[in-house]
């Protein structure tokens, strides 16, 4: 078993997770089995209770773990299987240590950060390494070197590397090389200081991955090598991508990153075969077709809040050789605006998941516009609940129909708290979470797109379609295209006679990958293209 530890320097938001995932792609394509893990130094047990404004998207795994969005990159870039063990927070570590203390595990001892907290962190590396049966475990340490919170994690990986011995561990430091306009120069000092900080802790990086807006010239590379104590060839340039994040593995390959990692870890593996990946990039850079999609949400100004949704739309495009331009539309603006003007030129509308009532009426207006004008609509989780409310109010004439999440006293609670949620008091980790089975009805568009009767999709919700209204909706043509196998919970709805109006209670975006686009997104982009160009796409077989 070999170990790679990825740390970050100078600033946050450098794309450490993306770099770790992209390296995973390369190593997998060299025939190695890779596992990935993220350490998050905050005290929350998981990001599930954090606002997207704080943290970006909460990424949900099959087992129902609510995790950091970097795990989304891991799943999209590699074939690794993830569970709650793949995301450790300081909160989880401390909870375990305190449970141990109460349980008498440390009887007689003073419980301390070193060794008890650091031992627990190392235990989590070892457990995952053993369970994954991988050749290489890539562990990404969240935060920036120099943060107080991150220290126990850095000390733990230092100790771990010491035990594992030379040739078994590779440290990668992802850093930032700013360009100072007034001087017209790239600057290495922040990186020198960040590496100095790491070395003070006892970690010397084997590779420096340098995030930059301009290419690194030879002098800059020499300077970085000299002052950061790495070989010249271990200074890796990772420039901002021109088109797509899926270019990162190819960029790292050009810099021979995977060769270097294999050299440090004394692994003999053939070069990575990336032809299929190059084909994906080709479709992203020069697609045969193009389409514009509107995403109507409430966290629109935040690039990371709908990460997986945006990625899945791009994947739906790849499947159709169609470039997807995403228009981010603030739901509150739709409340005040004229939808005909706002949605002009769009091939489809997507309403993603969400919590809280801000912008809800704008989303309902968007769903109404899509339904009445034959504009393709894809609703995800809250986006399905919105479609139900809209249909109730405007087709069935259920005045004031709403979700009890937003109006507890609505005369028509068409969306209501799940029965199983009625007595839930704790907020963290208690929603209906993770992979659940769903049975699709014959003859529906959803069934046709999936090409299967039984599917499994990931969930994260507390509210559901209120079954008391099922008959009334069905009589008006509203189609329940998918339910739980016992038929107790509505999972997918659609509108027959509409070119594409599908909404799901689950989050299909979590299962989409560039090389395995999700069927709903694939169908949505095809329908959006047909709407704009009045002719179907020649779908690849
Ligand atoms: N707020 C809604 C619920 O809890 C929708 C959740 C979501 O979109 N993820 O059911």
């Amino acid at each position: 078993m070999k170990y790679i530890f990825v740390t970050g320097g100078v600033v946050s938001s450098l794309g450490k997770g993306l770099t770790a995932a992209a390296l995973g792609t390369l190593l997998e394509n060299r025939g190695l089995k890779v596992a990935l893990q993220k350490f998050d130094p905050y005290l929350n047990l998981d990001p599930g209770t954090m606002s997207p404004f704080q943290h970006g998207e909460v990424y949900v795994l099959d087992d129902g773990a609510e995790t950091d969005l970097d795990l989304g990159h891991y799943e999209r870039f590699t074939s690794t299987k993830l569970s709650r063990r793949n995301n450790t927070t300081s909160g989880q570590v401390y909870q375990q240590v305190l449970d141990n203390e109460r349980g008498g595990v440390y009887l007689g001892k003073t419980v301390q950060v070193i060794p008890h907290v650091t031992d627990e962190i190392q235990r989590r590396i070892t457990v995952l390494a053993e369970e994954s049966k991988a050749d290489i475990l890539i562990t990404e340490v969240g935060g920036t070197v120099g943060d107080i919170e991150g220290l126990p994690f850095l000390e733990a990986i230092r100790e771990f590397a010491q035990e594992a011995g030379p040739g078994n561990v590779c440290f990668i430091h992802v850093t930032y090389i700013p360009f100072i306009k007034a001087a017209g120069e790239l600057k290495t000092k922040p990186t020198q200081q960040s590496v100095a900080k790491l070395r003070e802790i006892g970690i010397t990086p084997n590779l420096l991955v340098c995030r930059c807006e301009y290419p690194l010239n030879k002098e800059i590379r020499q300077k970085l090598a000299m002052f950061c104590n790495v070989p010249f060839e271990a200074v890796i340039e990772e420039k901002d991508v021109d088109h797509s994040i899926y270019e990162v593995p190819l960029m790292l390959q050009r810099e021979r990153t995977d060769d270097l990692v294999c050299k440090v870890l004394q692994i003999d593996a053939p070069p990575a075969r990336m032809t299929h990946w190059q084909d994906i990039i080709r479709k992203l850079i020069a697609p045969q077709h193009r389409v514009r999609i509107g995403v109507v949400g409430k966290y629109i100004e935040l690039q990371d809040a709908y990460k997986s949704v945006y990625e899945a739309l791009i994947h739906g495009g790849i499947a159709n050789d169609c470039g997807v331009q995403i228009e981010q539309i603030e739901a509150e603006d739709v409340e005040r605006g004229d939808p005909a003007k706002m949605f002009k030129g769009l091939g489809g509308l997507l309403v993603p998941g969400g919590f809280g009532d801000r912008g809800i009426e704008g989303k309902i207006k968007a769903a109404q516009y899509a339904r009445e004008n034959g504009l393709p609509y894809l609703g995800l989780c809250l986006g399905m609940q919105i479609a139900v409310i809209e249909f109730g109010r405007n087709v069935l004439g259920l005045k004031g129909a709403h979700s009890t999440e937003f109006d507890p006293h609505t005369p028509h609670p068409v969306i209501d708290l799940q029965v199983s949620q009625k007595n839930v008091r704790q907020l963290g980790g208690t929603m209906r979470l993770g992979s659940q089975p769903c049975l699709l009805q014959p003859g529906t568009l959803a069934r046709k797109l999936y090409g299967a009767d039984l599917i499994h999709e990931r969930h994260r919700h507390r509210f559901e379609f209120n079954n008391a209204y099922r008959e009334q909706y069905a009589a008006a043509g509203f189609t329940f295209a998918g339910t739980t196998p016992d038929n107790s919970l509505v999972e997918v709805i659609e509108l027959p006679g509409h070119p594409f109006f599908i909404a799901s209670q689950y989050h299909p975006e979590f299962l989409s990958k560039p090389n395995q686009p999700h069927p709903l997104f694939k169908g949505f982009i095809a329908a959006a293209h047909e709407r704009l160009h009045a002719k179907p796409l020649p779908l690849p077989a």
Side-chain angles (χ1 to χ4, degrees):
M1 187 81 197
K2 306 281 182 173
Y3 302 87
I4 298 172
F5 293 107
V6 180
T7 54
V10 182
V11 288
S12 60
S13 305
L14 278 182
K16 281 196 302 288
L18 200 57
T19 303
L23 180 60
T25 313
L26 289 174
L27 295 173
E28 265 194 357
N29 285 292
R30 297 183 78 125
L32 299 163
K33 188 166 161 42
V34 176
L36 287 123
Q37 176 182 38
K38 170 101 198 253
F39 286 156
D40 279 309
Y42 50 74
L43 285 172
N44 304 57
L45 287 177
D46 61 44
T49 56
M50 278 188 238
S51 155
F53 283 115
Q54 289 271 313
H55 189 270
E57 163 186 275
V58 173
Y59 188 78
V60 181
L61 303 179
D62 274 345
D63 70 353
E66 298 174 277
T67 69
D68 186 80
L69 57 80
D70 279 323
L71 278 82
H73 291 312
Y74 302 170
E75 287 202 326
R76 287 188 282 272
F77 278 81
T78 71
S79 59
T80 183
K81 285 267 162 288
L82 301 180
S83 77
R84 61 183 67 250
R85 291 201 198 290
N86 298 69
N87 193 184
T88 284
T89 69
S90 288
Q92 294 172 20
V93 171
Y94 278 97
Q95 192 176 50
Q96 185 62 55
V97 168
L98 294 177
D99 280 353
N100 290 350
E101 188 270 338
R102 291 290 88 176
V105 175
Y106 313 122
L107 216 52
K109 302 243 169 58
T110 308
V111 182
Q112 306 189 92
V113 172
I114 303 171
H116 302 102
V117 167
T118 47
D119 279 356
E120 173 57 22
I121 294 170
Q122 292 189 61
R123 188 186 69 80
R124 285 165 181 258
I125 300 171
T126 310
V127 166
L128 193 69
E130 277 165 11
E131 274 182 5
S132 67
K133 302 199 169 44
D135 302 308
I136 302 182
L137 171 59
I138 304 176
T139 302
E140 176 195 349
V141 182
T144 308
V145 169
D147 296 347
I148 291 175
E149 292 90 343
L151 281 173
F153 289 97
L154 296 176
E155 169 61 15
I157 62 175
R158 182 197 68 76
E159 288 175 17
F160 190 92
Q162 184 66 22
E163 293 268 306
N168 292 319
V169 174
C170 176
F171 286 107
I172 300 181
H173 192 52
V174 182
T175 180
Y176 181 55
I177 314 292
F179 180 77
I180 302 298
K181 239 211 208 131
E185 270 180 33
L186 288 165
K187 290 293 181 187
T188 64
K189 191 84 76 196
T191 298
Q192 293 180 38
Q193 280 170 353
S194 178
V195 171
K197 194 106 209 135
L198 264 183
R199 287 164 63 196
E200 202 175 288
I201 296 165
I203 293 172
T204 305
N206 300 95
L207 270 74
L208 274 188
V209 172
C210 302
R211 295 280 296 106
C212 47
E213 285 157 71
Y214 297 92
L216 305 179
N217 60 30
K218 194 168 164 216
E219 287 75 53
I220 292 281
R221 288 184 193 245
Q222 274 167 342
K223 206 165 164 188
L224 284 164
M226 167 65 109
F227 293 112
C228 300
N229 219 22
V230 297
F232 178 77
E233 70 270 17
V235 177
I236 310 286
E237 172 188 298
E238 194 188 298
K239 209 160 73 61
D240 289 355
V241 290
D242 293 327
H243 305 277
S244 152
I245 55 168
Y246 299 110
E247 291 170 67
V248 176
L250 300 177
M251 203 180 238
L252 293 181
Q253 190 182 33
R254 275 197 298 276
E255 291 282 297
R256 308 196 49 215
T257 316
D258 52 323
D259 290 343
L260 279 157
V261 165
C262 288
K263 197 168 135 199
V264 172
L265 294 176
Q266 299 166 9
I267 292 172
D268 190 16
R273 296 171 55 130
M274 298 296 288
T275 40
H276 63 296
W277 207 266
Q278 277 151 353
D279 190 44
I280 290 172
I281 303 297
R282 205 275 305 146
K283 285 184 186 156
L284 285 169
I285 294 177
Q288 303 268 333
H289 316 278
R290 290 198 189 267
V291 81
R292 282 172 66 215
I293 299 291
V295 173
V296 182
K298 116 185 214 200
Y299 312 112
I300 280 306
E301 69 264 45
L302 201 90
Q303 197 51 33
D304 277 349
Y306 302 118
K307 187 93 207 145
S308 296
V309 174
Y310 296 152
E311 292 308 316
L313 283 170
I314 305 284
H315 305 160
I318 294 172
N320 289 295
D321 205 344
C322 181
V324 179
Q325 187 184 332
I326 297 169
E327 302 297 333
Q328 298 163 344
I329 303 169
E330 182 61 62
E332 279 182 306
D333 292 344
V334 182
E335 284 170 19
R336 298 180 287 263
D338 171 8
K341 267 200 202 124
M342 292 186 82
F343 303 150
K344 196 161 176 268
L346 297 180
L349 283 183
L350 185 150
V351 176
F355 298 82
D357 60 3
R358 189 169 63 79
I360 288 292
E361 293 302 324
K363 293 177 188 173
I364 294 174
K365 202 161 141 190
Q368 179 177 10
Y369 183 85
R371 179 178 56 76
E372 290 176 347
N373 293 281
L375 182 62
Y377 178 90
L378 182 60
L380 312 176
C381 203
L382 178 63
M384 183 201 93
Q385 300 174 355
I386 292 290
V388 169
I389 297 165
E390 190 281 314
F391 194 88
R393 287 185 190 175
N394 300 325
V395 179
L396 301 179
L398 302 174
K399 214 161 161 279
H402 222 320
S403 162
T404 49
E405 178 179 3
F406 313 122
D407 178 5
H409 307 296
T410 165
H412 294 291
V414 292
I415 302 291
D416 199 7
L417 198 61
Q418 293 166 58
V419 182
S420 58
Q421 288 281 331
K422 301 254 173 192
N423 293 319
V424 171
R425 293 285 169 269
Q426 290 264 58
L427 284 189
T430 56
M431 281 187 252
R432 179 168 179 256
L433 288 166
S435 181
Q436 311 278 348
C438 164
L439 206 55
L440 297 173
Q441 291 306 310
T444 59
L445 179 56
R447 168 69 187 73
K448 191 174 147 212
L449 292 172
Y450 275 96
D453 296 317
L454 185 68
I455 57 164
H456 291 81
E457 291 277 3
R458 295 180 187 172
H459 295 69
R460 182 170 187 252
H461 66 122
R462 258 182 237 290
F463 292 79
E464 63 172 335
F465 182 89
N466 183 345
N467 284 330
Y469 289 89
R470 254 211 234 184
E471 264 177 41
Q472 203 177 341
Y473 272 73
F478 197 84
T479 303
F480 301 101
T483 60
T484 46
D486 67 359
N487 195 25
S488 65
L489 222 133
V490 172
E491 293 277 22
V492 194
I493 63 98
E494 58 184 61
L495 296 179
H498 189 290
F500 188 107
F501 196 105
I502 297 190
S504 66
Q505 186 57 78
Y506 51 77
H507 291 271
E509 69 270 25
F510 294 142
L511 292 187
S512 191
K513 295 180 179 218
N515 48 3
Q516 280 162 254
H518 191 284
L520 290 186
F521 284 89
K522 180 176 167 183
F524 178 55
I525 297 298
H529 181 273
E530 193 168 338
R531 158 90 180 183
L532 287 180
H533 303 279
K535 63 169 194 282
L537 276 173
L539 275 186

